[in-house]
Amino acid sequence: MGWAIAVHGGAGDIPLSLPPEKRLPREAGLRRCLDVGIAALKAHNHPLDVVELVVRELENNPHFNAGKGSVLTTSGTVEMEACIMDGKTMKCGAVSGVSTVVNAISLARLVMDKTPHIYLAFDGAEAFAREQGLETVEMSHFITPENIERLKQAQEADRVQLDYTQPIPKEVPKEAAVADGDSQIGTVGCVAVDSEGSLATATSTGGIVNKMVGRIGDTPIIGAGTYANHLCAISATGRGEAIIRGTIARDVAAVMEFKGLSLKEAAAYVINQVPRGNAGLIAVSSTGEVTMPFNTTGMFRACATEDGYSEIAIWDSPTK
Amino acid sequence: MGAWAIAVHGGAGVDPNLPKERQEEAKRLLTRCLDIGISALRSNLPAIDVVELVVRELETDPLFNSGRGSALTENGTVEMEVSIMDGPKRRCGAVSGLTTVKNPVSLARLVMEKSPHSYLAFSGAEEFAKKQGVEMVDNEFFITEDNVGMLKLAKEANSILFDYRIPAVGTCGASAAMDSPLQMNGLPISVYAPETVGCVVVDKQGRCAAATSTGGLMNKMSGRIGDSPLIGSGTYASELCGVSCTGEGEAIIRSTLAREVSAVMEYKRLNLHEAVDYVIKNRLDEGKAGLIAVSKDGEVACGFNTTGMFRGCATEDGFMEVGVW
């Protein structure tokens, strides 16, 4: 038993041919966030603080679909959502429809800590952020040229783009869409457990490219994209609608509890229940185990455990 | 062919001092809704259509906390939310922050069937409603005199306490509150307005469906989302069962209550009644809530750890029951 931490930057149809200029900054981002998390755990910070800290870093990194670098709605705006949960107390906080708050995950934390509610959205969430004195900026702060381009392509292709790192080919026959990067999905997340077995999870996202204004995904829905209890902490990523229907995050813990499976087995079991190409998750258990299964082509991810193990990977085999 | 079953609820957590006429009114409404559902089932309407039909009726009637008669936000306005789920493929739809849509449950159904998403909220949801041509009205339509009065009392009772396990007796001035030291979510039960509505149905083909609709917590912050529109918390339906919950939203979310019933049936192999009992006993800790559920085999069950729950249920073999306590 010892501490463990995992982070992710989204699961999806990440093509094996991903060019270095798209791959390297993300790997570097994952490595840096992992290191931030490890340092925080070593300094005996509470896992709740650790996951918030790490997700803030991921939100500030424009290469991931959260905070700065969030994908755009069909109106070209940014609507971010985030969720945080404490495994020991089962307290949780979530926000949706946030457009000016620099770190949505911190707003979610404040909803958890400073209100009798769990979930605030849109104008109400923004008003609360200001009341609490959180850092807010013009929405343009979050919008990157890459995402403006992605939105344009999605609208031209007239469909909802779940891929956020590859341009949509103009005419892609359904069968060929597999490895062309047309269905990659992005979200960021972090799960952590300390050496006392306290667990926490945090997830943050801009959603899916060209989403309808007002669309809410799985990230802020407790039990779908985010969940933690005394057994484990989970953060999921992928096709939101499939993750909601499958109550993915909750199921990992339920399967551990009710079927007596280990963390790895439970996580694999749950991912296998979701149609291929739709989901991935990171999870840690109270005993310091970590697992990062996915049924998509790839998932930007990294993890580390107290015994010195660490891994950064995108596809099936670690890159280092 | 299996047997149908249906259950409806009008909220868990009832003021023991609720006047008899109110209780009778509630029972009459629940009976009427059951009858509507039963006719629909006898005409072979699929479960998903039946739940929508019944919840529309509950939303239209101003008695309970949904649609017209919804609880008010701290600003005196109405923000409604719903989720609906169809067991067979676990399709789902949800909406939050509705202010002008006459029947929120029908919009949730449209999200499920006519949009590429599962959940739409606030102005985006209203835009979608306009495009779909659903009936829209002014926000005032949903506001009742009763609830304007309740909001005043809730504000006097010092609104929602942060730690809702601390009794408010002694700090609140509303005399009504003093009569009922029972509390839910920090509010005296007389002003709490827990009457979220819901319906669960299993049709003759064994298909389950569920829907939950509400105006939310009295005096809530604008933008506050509760358990009702959250799949897995307030509502859930699978091949095995359909569940709709009501009560302290935060407690229901934390325990993913609706999903729990189905998970416990699936993974622990409990039957519907055992699953409902287990979940109410073991998953709520200090939270107060109730739920109704049906199974693919035509069973119906309800459970609650609150003082009362407005509910009604009926099965094909002629069983029918409407209750408050």
Side-chain angles (χ1 to χ4, degrees):
Chain A
M1 198 151 135
W3 57 255
I5 180 171
V7 305
H8 75 76
D13 223 344
I14 309 167
L16 291 143
S17 54
L18 189 70
E21 64 269 16
K22 292 214 155 96
R23 179 172 58 84
L24 295 172
R26 288 178 175 97
E27 280 176 3
L30 288 171
R31 183 171 297 114
R32 206 166 63 81
C33 291
L34 188 70
D35 286 343
V36 164
I38 291 170
L41 279 167
K42 284 186 169 155
H44 302 292
N45 285 308
H46 191 280
L48 206 53
D49 294 331
V50 176
V51 299
E52 183 188 353
L53 192 63
V54 171
V55 170
R56 283 174 67 96
E57 286 296 321
L58 288 161
E59 285 172 337
N60 295 340
N61 187 319
H63 292 107
F64 295 110
N65 175 17
K68 186 159 190 194
S70 282
V71 298
L72 307 179
T73 69
T74 194
S75 302
T77 54
V78 157
E79 285 178 3
M80 301 171 285
E81 39 198 24
C83 184
I84 189 165
M85 188 161 187
D86 178 340
K88 185 172 264 159
T89 61
M90 306 280 290
K91 288 180 68 169
C92 34
V95 291
S96 280
V98 169
S99 306
T100 65
V101 178
V102 174
N103 290 103
I105 193 65
S106 295
L107 185 60
R109 177 94 193 252
L110 284 173
V111 171
M112 178 176 95
D113 288 342
K114 296 278 164 73
T115 76
H117 301 319
I118 281 179
Y119 191 2
L120 285 182
F122 292 87
D123 290 349
E126 293 270 328
F128 178 65
R130 278 161 182 77
E131 248 175 66
Q132 292 291 316
L134 268 195
E135 194 185 352
T136 57
V137 291
E138 291 287 314
M139 190 169 61
S140 51
H141 162 91
F142 305 99
I143 300 175
T144 59
E146 256 193 326
N147 278 309
I148 294 175
E149 185 55 34
R150 278 188 198 117
L151 179 63
K152 196 149 123 288
Q153 292 185 353
Q155 286 174 335
E156 279 165 5
D158 199 34
R159 61 175 180 270
V160 169
Q161 185 194 24
L162 303 167
D163 166 21
Y164 75 101
T165 67
Q166 285 299 100
I168 302 181
K170 290 296 176 186
E171 260 121 24
V172 177
K174 275 228 143 90
E175 315 80 59
V178 174
D180 277 342
D182 192 35
S183 64
Q184 185 191 61
I185 296 113
T187 290
V188 303
C190 179
V191 291
V193 60
D194 64 17
S195 46
E196 260 117 65
S198 293
L199 292 145
T201 172
T203 316
S204 179
T205 188
I208 52 181
V209 179
N210 202 26
K211 66 182 180 178
M212 289 171 72
V213 168
R215 177 260 189 187
I216 292 176
D218 63 289
T219 294
I221 300 184
I222 297 292
T226 309
Y227 186 77
N229 66 5
H230 62 286
L231 288 172
C232 57
I234 299 100
S235 171
T237 163
R239 206 169 286 257
E241 285 72 16
I243 295 171
I244 291 172
R245 170 181 310 137
T247 55
I248 304 282
R250 173 66 187 109
D251 272 26
V252 175
V255 162
M256 281 183 79
E257 182 176 349
F258 297 134
K259 282 171 98 78
L261 298 190
S262 71
L263 181 77
K264 249 192 175 62
E265 293 167 336
Y269 179 93
V270 170
I271 288 294
N272 283 333
Q273 303 281 309
V274 182
R276 269 206 77 70
N278 277 277
L281 65 88
I282 55 173
V284 287
S285 72
S286 59
T287 53
E289 302 160 279
V290 64
T291 186
M292 305 188 289
F294 51 95
N295 69 7
T296 48
T297 309
M299 179 169 78
F300 292 109
R301 65 198 187 281
C303 70
T305 51
E306 189 166 5
D307 59 10
Y309 176 74
S310 85
E311 178 189 328
I312 296 179
I314 302 175
W315 301 281
D316 269 330
S317 38
T319 53
K320 280 207 172 32
Chain B
M1 189 138 27
W4 58 254
I6 176 172
V8 299
H9 73 75
V14 185
D15 184 358
N17 296 320
L18 190 70
K20 211 59 177 40
E21 319 88 68
R22 262 294 274 234
Q23 293 182 41
E24 291 308 311
E25 236 190 304
K27 284 163 80 171
R28 276 196 299 273
L29 174 57
L30 290 166
T31 305
R32 199 174 80 234
C33 291
L34 270 184
D35 285 338
I36 288 171
I38 291 168
S39 301
L41 281 163
R42 288 196 178 130
S43 333
N44 277 319
L45 237 57
I48 189 78
D49 287 343
V50 181
V51 298
E52 184 189 353
L53 199 60
V54 171
V55 172
R56 278 179 70 97
E57 189 64 31
L58 289 160
E59 286 172 342
T60 303
D61 194 298
L63 189 64
F64 292 132
N65 175 12
S66 69
R68 184 145 175 267
S70 279
L72 307 179
T73 69
E74 62 184 357
N75 303 325
T77 57
V78 160
E79 285 174 10
M80 300 169 288
E81 47 194 21
V82 179
S83 61
I84 186 168
M85 192 160 184
D86 192 13
K89 291 202 176 67
R90 285 174 298 147
R91 301 179 306 143
C92 40
V95 288
S96 278
L98 294 187
T99 53
T100 63
V101 174
K102 187 145 181 260
N103 283 106
V105 67
S106 296
L107 188 66
R109 178 117 189 235
L110 286 169
V111 170
M112 177 171 86
E113 291 179 341
K114 298 274 166 70
S115 87
H117 303 317
S118 294
Y119 190 5
L120 287 181
F122 292 89
S123 60
E126 299 267 325
E127 266 309 301
F128 177 68
K130 253 190 220 103
K131 291 210 174 88
Q132 292 292 315
V134 304
E135 194 176 354
M136 308 195 48
V137 293
D138 283 333
N139 198 244
E140 282 72 51
F141 172 84
F142 304 102
I143 301 174
T144 60
E145 240 178 79
D146 255 1
N147 280 319
V148 170
M150 290 294 213
L151 181 64
K152 253 210 218 89
L153 287 181
K155 284 186 185 291
E156 280 167 23
N158 226 2
S159 72
I160 298 159
L161 298 176
F162 181 6
D163 179 349
Y164 47 75
R165 285 181 285 282
I166 298 172
V169 175
T171 60
C172 58
S175 56
M178 298 305 272
D179 292 345
S180 296
L182 269 188
Q183 290 225 344
M184 272 179 75
N185 252 33
L187 282 176
I189 195 97
S190 51
V191 301
Y192 167 66
E195 312 124 337
T196 291
V197 303
C199 178
V200 293
V201 165
V202 57
D203 59 28
K204 283 204 267 252
Q205 277 72 39
R207 296 174 294 205
C208 299
T212 314
S213 177
T214 190
L217 209 50
M218 186 65 78
N219 201 27
K220 66 182 179 180
M221 290 168 75
S222 174
R224 178 262 188 182
I225 293 177
D227 64 290
S228 300
L230 303 187
I231 295 294
S233 290
T235 306
Y236 190 76
S238 63
E239 298 274 334
L240 292 179
C241 62
V243 186
S244 169
C245 305
T246 163
E248 291 180 325
E250 282 71 17
I252 294 169
I253 292 172
R254 199 171 284 135
S255 59
T256 53
L257 206 62
R259 170 66 184 125
E260 257 343 67
V261 175
S262 186
V264 149
M265 286 178 78
E266 204 179 326
Y267 299 130
K268 279 173 85 81
R269 306 225 176 276
L270 298 188
N271 69 35
L272 186 75
H273 286 94
E274 293 167 335
V276 169
D277 274 342
Y278 179 91
V279 161
I280 293 289
K281 262 198 198 73
N282 298 303
R283 294 305 186 195
L284 285 171
D285 297 330
E286 281 131 42
K288 298 247 166 282
L291 62 91
I292 53 174
V294 288
S295 74
K296 67 172 173 42
D297 298 319
E299 304 159 282
V300 66
C302 66
F304 51 96
N305 68 357
T306 49
T307 308
M309 178 167 85
F310 292 113
R311 69 208 181 274
C313 56
T315 51
E316 190 166 3
D317 60 10
F319 170 75
M320 177 151 155
E321 180 185 78
V322 170
V324 178
W325 311 110

